[in-house]
Amino acid sequence: MKPEDYSRRQQELAGWQVTIETYKLGDVYHCTIANVDPGARFARADGATKDEAQALVRESIRNLREQGVKAPTRILWMDP
C-alpha cells in the first residue's frame, strides 16, 4: 500500500510548536504529532476520516496538558 492524502504542517498546539503529519493508508487515516525540536513523535491516532484522526490526536495533546506535562519530552508510554 502507498500512503495517500499526505499532509505535513507546523503549528502551535497547546502551547507547543509541533509538526502534524496526516496520511491515509488503505481505509484508515493516521495522524502523528512530533515536537519540532528535537523532532520526537509523542502523540498518534487513527481514524476513519482525516478529521477524526486529527481530532483524536489533538485530544491526546489536551490530555497530556491536563496531566501536567509542561513540555513534550520524557513522556512515558506503556504498551497494552
Side-chain angles (χ1 to χ4, degrees):
M1 277 189 254
K2 294 175 87 174
E4 301 172 20
D5 198 13
Y6 177 82
S7 67
R8 179 183 175 134
R9 68 182 186 281
Q10 289 186 358
Q11 72 178 64
E12 184 176 313
L13 185 61
W16 298 327
Q17 286 297 319
V18 297
T19 300
I20 301 173
E21 286 184 305
T22 308
Y23 58 93
K24 184 178 181 184
L25 196 58
D27 293 333
V28 178
Y29 278 90
H30 304 274
C31 184
T32 63
I33 294 185
N35 190 7
V36 170
D37 184 33
R41 181 176 59 190
F42 63 94
R44 64 178 178 232
D46 303 327
T49 66
K50 187 175 190 175
D51 290 338
E52 180 184 22
Q54 290 177 349
L56 289 169
V57 82
R58 283 192 304 269
E59 183 63 27
S60 293
I61 299 299
R62 280 192 289 277
N63 288 337
L64 288 171
R65 295 296 273 178
E66 288 174 4
Q67 293 172 30
V69 175
K70 297 190 187 317
T73 58
R74 298 185 183 266
I75 300 170
L76 300 177
W77 298 107
M78 185 171 131
D79 291 356

